[in-house]
Amino acid sequence: MESREAVFEYIWILLIVAVIVGLSASMAYYGFARGLNPTCEAYTLEEARKAGISLEPGVREVGPGIYEVTIDARQFTFIPREVVLKDPNRVTFRVYSLDVIHGLSIVGTSVNIMVLPGYVAEFVWEPPKNAKGEFLVLCTEYCGIGHQLMYAKLVIERSSAQMAGGG
Ligand code: CUA
């Protein structure tokens, strides 16, 4: 007959297996069924160059309300330091770093990404229709002694017509 200790061993093994299966199932559920995946794509600067993607920092309006924003994240600033978008519907951000790991978070929104040196982090943001005014953009990875100085500003301007129509 099994000793009392052995029974407890089996119970603990079962509990551990249950926790692992539960966590894996939860990740699979959110990833596949709910579509919650990393929103960000990453490719190297070299791949960007080969694909003909311009990495000139700045804002380009490529269609009505469709923007491409390229940001150079470096110790200890973002270039450009201020981004102004008029009635944005869809914004493709390309953020890259040449020195160390940085982060980019638009405070008060769901945007929060990591920028690895040598890589372009690309993601699409559809700002909520009621997003308006000034947003603080912060570096969220400790990148050196000036990390706390690394911030920028995002301004979303809404025309009254869109506010009335879009709600
Ligand atoms: Cu860049 Cu912290």
Side-chain angles (χ1 to χ4, degrees):
M1 199 184 130
E2 299 273 5
S3 72
R4 217 174 132 78
E5 287 75 20
V7 173
F8 281 124
E9 284 295 326
Y10 289 128
I11 291 174
W12 280 111
I13 289 169
L14 273 177
L15 278 174
I16 289 162
V17 169
V19 166
I20 292 170
V21 169
L23 287 175
S24 306
S26 148
M27 280 194 288
Y29 171 69
Y30 281 103
F32 295 109
R34 300 282 303 276
L36 288 177
N37 289 302
T39 50
C40 183
E41 225 187 294
Y43 44 85
T44 63
L45 294 163
E46 189 55 41
E47 285 166 342
R49 222 167 281 136
K50 279 183 189 154
I53 295 169
S54 164
L55 294 177
E56 181 77 30
V59 181
R60 278 171 292 278
E61 186 167 12
V62 293
I66 315 288
Y67 289 91
E68 289 183 1
V69 179
T70 306
I71 296 175
D72 177 349
R74 60 172 64 193
Q75 290 169 318
F76 298 100
T77 190
F78 292 103
I79 303 170
R81 199 117 205 226
E82 183 174 326
V83 168
V84 180
L85 305 174
K86 292 192 176 80
D87 296 326
N89 289 321
R90 193 181 157 85
V91 189
T92 302
F93 283 91
R94 291 192 187 101
V95 191
Y96 63 90
S97 162
L98 297 177
D99 45 30
V100 297
I101 294 178
H102 298 282
L104 185 148
S105 165
I106 305 176
V107 177
T109 72
S110 59
V111 175
N112 188 352
I113 58 151
M114 190 189 259
V115 188
L116 301 174
Y119 283 84
V120 182
E122 180 178 310
F123 63 97
V124 174
W125 184 46
E126 293 180 354
K129 288 278 178 266
N130 59 2
K132 188 186 173 190
E134 284 186 22
F135 292 82
L136 182 62
V137 177
L138 288 179
C139 176
T140 46
E141 297 291 334
Y142 181 74
C143 53
I145 53 167
H147 161 70
Q148 74 280 2
L149 305 172
M150 191 164 167
Y151 61 90
K153 189 162 86 173
L154 167 71
V155 182
I156 295 184
E157 296 176 356
R158 297 286 185 190
S159 63
S160 48
Q162 197 190 15
M163 286 302 279

